[in-house]
Amino acid sequence: MLSVVLPAYNEEKMIQKAADTIDRILSAEQISYEIVFVNDGSKDATWEEIEKAAERNPNVVGVRFSRNFGKEAAMFAGLAEARGDCCAVMDCDLQHPPETLVEMYRLWEQGYEVIEGVKRSRGKESALHRMCAGLFYKMISKAVKIDMSRASDFKLLDRRAVDALLSMPERNVFFRALSSWIGFKTASVEFDVQERTEGESKWSTRSLIQYAIKNIVIFSTAALQFVTCAGAVVFVAAIVLAIQTLVRYFTGHAVEGFTTVILLILIIGSLIMISLGIIGYYIGKIYEEVKGRPRYLIAKRVGKGR
């Protein structure tokens, strides 16, 4: 059986449409399935729509968080609730084309354990967003040692791969990178990002930047390496200025005034504060991990056998 996990946050207009579309496509291919909706603390009628969908279709189940825990937590909750021999994760807004599920499933039947949905095109994005996304994926690709420039959350995983992900104890997780990191026999399927038909994106530029920073820190030490590089640059600059100052002193052309000193203090002070901020962010994430709180709390379940 194929379990399709769909995180949902304020997606009341898309719940029934997503359930009907996936049902139509998988039923036509005679693929046994279940749809697992995870309501990530939505403020609209998303949960009520999930309950209605579960009443109409016995293959639909739903999980409601006690509050908003974020998309990563919703994906892992869906995988934990899924009962299928393989599990697919996709967006509730259908920007990940459901038709691709069939191709992924057929590859799974051939023995592949991780089938990656790879973006052929990214849809409509601003130049700034595209540039920032490119920088982010370069850093993550370096950390994972896998090209993730076209990666997405749209994946199909064998039960062994799902169990491997769920066995990881960390609380701050990045599904897109972890699902590549675990390895297993992997294949990829290209898809075009579809335009949203209902509602609007929940991701603002600010939230995307925060998401990128969080996941870089979770999965990479690149930011800490920046601190080391900045320190090395300042050290080299200090040596050059020290030599220049000594030469001017012994030749009787010592620099007068405090402009150079003030500028150096400001530059070095700024770098120190930035470095402390980066280190503090890592320490904050360590603190969150040490507390050992659960990734999410489930308030209610709905659906067959729930």
Side-chain angles (χ1 to χ4, degrees), residues 151-177:
S152 72
D153 292 326
F154 190 20
K155 302 175 188 290
L156 188 146
L157 308 170
D158 181 75
R159 173 51 59 181
R160 284 208 308 156
V162 171
D163 291 342
L165 283 174
L166 295 177
S167 69
M168 295 181 182
E170 59 255 49
R171 295 298 175 264
N172 293 290
V173 290
F174 184 25
F175 172 75
R176 197 173 302 185

Side-chain angles (χ1 to χ4, degrees), residues 80-109:
E81 293 291 319
R83 299 176 178 179
D85 302 303
C86 57
C87 303
V89 178
M90 62 182 292
D91 287 350
C92 186
D93 56 16
L94 299 184
Q95 289 191 292
H96 294 154
E99 296 81 5
T100 309
L101 287 172
V102 177
E103 189 177 353
M104 289 177 163
Y105 187 80
R106 299 307 178 203
L107 285 169
W108 174 75
E109 289 182 320

Side-chain angles (χ1 to χ4, degrees), residues 22-162:
I22 293 170
D23 171 66
R24 173 175 52 80
I25 292 170
L26 296 183
S27 295
E29 295 291 331
Q30 298 183 337
I31 297 173
S32 176
Y33 75 93
E34 69 170 353
I35 300 173
V36 183
F37 285 106
V38 182
N39 179 32
D40 185 21
S42 300
K43 296 179 174 62
D44 61 3
T46 296
W47 179 246
E48 288 73 15
E49 290 298 320
I50 292 173
E51 290 181 316
K52 292 177 184 177
E55 289 175 3
R56 295 190 188 101
N57 187 343
N59 294 323
V60 173
V61 299
V63 175
R64 189 183 77 190
F65 282 173
S66 60
R67 65 170 178 82
N68 177 257
F69 284 93
K71 185 180 179 181
E72 302 294 327
M75 288 188 286
F76 273 83
L79 292 174
E81 293 291 319
R83 299 176 178 179
D85 302 303
C86 57
C87 303
V89 178
M90 62 182 292
D91 287 350
C92 186
D93 56 16
L94 299 184
Q95 289 191 292
H96 294 154
E99 296 81 5
T100 309
L101 287 172
V102 177
E103 189 177 353
M104 289 177 163
Y105 187 80
R106 299 307 178 203
L107 285 169
W108 174 75
E109 289 182 320
Q110 295 174 26
Y112 291 98
E113 295 167 297
V114 177
I115 297 91
E116 303 267 0
V118 177
K119 296 177 182 177
R120 185 184 294 113
S121 63
R122 300 184 60 91
K124 294 181 180 179
E125 291 180 345
S126 66
L128 177 62
H129 181 91
R130 198 179 298 273
M131 182 183 69
C132 292
L135 178 61
F136 167 66
Y137 283 117
K138 280 182 181 179
M139 297 181 73
I140 290 296
S141 296
K142 186 176 180 181
V144 183
K145 295 180 174 58
I146 298 172
D147 181 17
M148 294 188 64
S149 59
R150 296 190 294 162
S152 72
D153 292 326
F154 190 20
K155 302 175 188 290
L156 188 146
L157 308 170
D158 181 75
R159 173 51 59 181
R160 284 208 308 156
V162 171

Side-chain angles (χ1 to χ4, degrees), residues 177-198:
L178 280 177
S179 56
S180 298
W181 179 85
I182 58 175
F184 292 103
K185 189 177 180 181
T186 303
S188 62
V189 174
E190 289 191 336
F191 71 95
D192 295 310
V193 177
Q194 305 298 303
E195 291 300 318
R196 174 186 280 268
T197 58
E198 299 285 350

Side-chain angles (χ1 to χ4, degrees), residues 208-245:
L208 284 170
I209 292 172
Q210 290 175 338
Y211 179 75
I213 292 172
K214 175 185 174 183
N215 288 320
I216 287 170
V217 169
I218 288 171
F219 217 86
S220 169
T221 59
L224 288 176
Q225 293 168 12
F226 163 78
V227 175
T228 304
C229 292
V233 169
V234 171
F235 178 71
V236 171
I239 291 175
V240 172
L241 286 172
I243 294 172
Q244 181 189 44
T245 301

